[in-house]
Amino acid sequence: MLTALDELVLRVVGQLAGRSPFLDAVTLACTALFAIRLLPLMAVLVYLWFRTGNGLGSREAVVEAVIGMRAAIEATVAMLAAGIIACALRMLLPFRGRPYLVAEPDLLQVDSVPTSLITAVIESGTSFPCDHAAIVSALATSVWLVSRPLGALCYGWAVLTTCLPRIYVGYHYASDILCGVLIGLAVALFVRLLLPTLPIVGFANRLALRRPALFQVALFTLMFQSAMVFDEIRIAFRS
């Protein structure tokens, strides 16, 4: 059952899709390439992890560094948790076909969208809720809690490169995206309240000092999986 919001957004998309080759190409790139959607967000987390309070006294510099590390850890945990919760809901809730497969022709003019735009980024399975939106929302919210400017940039990037393109190509309804965003928001807040982050920061610092090679390998692996929005893990979880 479609909401009024879903119908409105589909009608708008139906008027835009396939009419601008440039817009189609940009949307396709955002939908298909993890480097566009997630790499800048991962760069923010790396910056927060390694930032120091330049120009601050020693105590203030340490506090600034710990805050950044805490935000990076919370964002990573929140992303993973939000993705798992969204995937679990997709399996438990009634099946909802993707718009490009089931939408009424007068709502989503799929025929007007270039075939490559659909087939190159095709996904199967239920559309509700959007796990990608949950993951990027969890990251952006975690960053927002420690830095309003960086958080706002993350939110904006997530909307422009993840949320809107997935509606444009017919992957999701607007309500799928909205639910995913709310899941990510709620998970990030719970992680902030419940996760014992400071002991984790202490452990990571000790590991970095005692086993720097092992720490760098673990950090790279974690950032790589985060940049791929834990795609392999989510696929395994779905199956």
Side-chain angles (χ1 to χ4, degrees):
M1 180 177 181
L2 299 185
T3 67
L5 175 63
D6 292 331
E7 292 190 5
L8 174 62
V9 173
L10 285 182
R11 290 186 187 280
V12 173
V13 170
Q15 297 299 316
L16 295 175
R19 301 179 185 265
S20 169
F22 174 77
L23 183 59
D24 289 346
V26 170
T27 305
L28 174 59
C30 290
T31 307
L33 301 178
F34 288 109
I36 295 178
R37 288 182 285 142
L38 270 298
L39 194 57
L41 300 181
M42 291 303 102
V44 171
L45 295 188
V46 173
Y47 166 76
L48 288 173
W49 181 267
F50 288 105
R51 75 173 181 176
T52 58
N54 295 326
L56 300 177
S58 58
R59 177 180 173 82
E60 290 81 1
V62 170
V63 171
E64 187 80 1
V66 170
I67 290 175
M69 292 178 182
R70 177 181 181 180
I73 290 172
E74 290 175 349
T76 304
V77 172
M79 289 170 66
L80 179 58
I84 291 174
I85 291 173
C87 286
L89 289 174
R90 288 161 64 93
M91 292 189 297
L92 295 173
L93 294 174
F95 181 86
R96 190 186 202 189
R98 294 184 181 274
Y100 75 88
L101 293 174
V102 302
E104 295 294 331
D106 63 331
L107 292 179
L108 183 61
Q109 303 295 333
V110 177
D111 292 339
S112 67
V113 182
T115 303
S116 60
L117 187 62
I118 294 294
T119 58
V121 293
I122 194 167
E123 284 190 2
S124 59
T126 183
S127 71
F128 184 85
C130 177
D131 46 1
H132 287 81
I135 290 171
V136 295
S137 173
L139 184 153
T141 302
S142 298
V143 174
W144 171 269
L145 291 173
V146 298
S147 173
R148 297 296 187 269
L150 284 178
L153 287 174
C154 289
Y155 274 124
W157 190 258
V159 169
L160 291 176
T161 63
T162 298
C163 298
L164 293 181
R166 297 185 76 80
I167 297 175
Y168 186 89
V169 300
Y171 269 15
H172 291 284
Y173 297 99
S175 55
D176 301 337
I177 299 293
L178 180 59
C179 182
V181 169
L182 292 177
I183 290 172
L185 175 64
V187 169
L189 292 176
F190 273 107
V191 167
R192 181 58 182 266
L193 292 173
L194 302 178
L195 186 70
T197 313
L198 292 181
I200 298 176
V201 170
F203 171 78
N205 278 328
R206 290 192 297 272
L207 181 63
L209 291 174
R210 297 175 184 176
R211 299 286 189 273
L214 178 61
F215 174 79
Q216 295 298 335
V217 169
L219 183 64
F220 171 80
T221 302
L222 186 58
M223 290 296 102
F224 176 80
Q225 282 296 328
S226 299
M228 298 290 289
V229 290
F230 308 103
D231 203 42
E232 293 89 351
I233 297 175
R234 291 186 300 108
I235 292 173
F237 189 75
R238 289 176 190 169
S239 60

